[in-house]
Amino acid sequence: DQQVKQNSPSLSVQEGRISILNCDYTNSMFDYFLWYKKYPAEGPTFLISISSIKDKNEDGRFTVFLNKSAKHLSLHIVPSQPGDSAVYFCAASHRSQGNLIFGKGTKLSVKP
Amino acid sequence: NAGVTQTPKFQVLKTGQSMTLQCAQDMNHEYMSWYRQDPGMGLRLIHYSVGAGITDQGEVPNGYNVSRSTTEDFPLRLLSAAPSQTSVYFCASSYLGRNQPQHFGDGTRLSIL
């Protein structure tokens, strides 16, 4: 049973607009969440994270929002750039074990 | 600064063959891990290690062995390759601690015929 779900396999956005990538989780023990970006033929790279004691974390053009009651988090990219085109993975870990559980990923395409 | 280095980048094996995927990191990270990524799937944890001499199983450990004799190296061994092990394998490392993001290598693409 999938504990971390990214229900949109793909997303297409126009350059300059906002990209919103969504992630849902089922395990209430998860208390730390991360987003990774992956380009073809490369390994994932860490993008941004959020602890469950916060509901928002911002880093430049990237903001992650956490809604604990809904077990939902989202990654906002504003403004979107063609170089943001990649697969984005949501990941979570829980307090009793630090290993990451990944979602299936969402492929973002930013069109010029 | 090389980061996490995986070798080889590509490999084709026949069913039943064995091989070792190499992973080395130069960041003095205590935590190292191996994932596999299959089409339409996220990364699934195979094995991990929190330090030299300490290893443990992840979500999908069957058919794989690991060892951690040094801080830098964390090889993954396929004992008897099966077509179901065709995948892209990623090694990652980080400092210990809950909020330490993992650094990934560029992956090994493995095909089992």
Side-chain angles (χ1 to χ4, degrees), chain B residues 54-107:
Chain B
I54 305 169
T55 64
D56 207 344
Q57 297 181 350
E59 180 186 356
V60 288
N62 292 341
Y64 307 95
N65 274 357
V66 291
S67 60
R68 185 93 180 271
S69 56
T70 66
T71 299
E72 296 78 17
D73 300 297
F74 191 44
L76 178 73
R77 298 183 186 84
L78 278 70
L79 308 173
S80 177
S84 61
Q85 294 177 304
T86 293
S87 189
V88 182
Y89 292 85
F90 291 100
C91 178
S93 72
S94 70
Y95 292 112
L96 280 178
R98 288 296 319 284
N99 299 347
Q100 299 297 324
Q102 295 187 38
H103 299 256
F104 284 82
D106 284 339

Side-chain angles (χ1 to χ4, degrees), chain A residues 31-32 34 36 38 41-46 89 93-95 97-100 102-104, chain B residues 31 35 37 40-43 45 48 57 59 90 98-107:
Chain A
D31 64 348
Y32 188 61
L34 307 90
Y36 283 83
K38 185 184 181 303
E42 294 183 10
T45 55
F46 169 72
F89 290 100
S93 70
H94 57 68
R95 54 183 74 97
Q97 188 187 52
N99 295 324
L100 295 179
F102 283 85
K104 292 185 177 181
Chain B
Y31 181 92
Y35 295 86
Q37 185 191 10
M41 301 287 289
L43 285 79
L45 183 66
Y48 66 98
Q57 297 181 350
E59 180 186 356
F90 291 100
R98 288 296 319 284
N99 299 347
Q100 299 297 324
Q102 295 187 38
H103 299 256
F104 284 82
D106 284 339

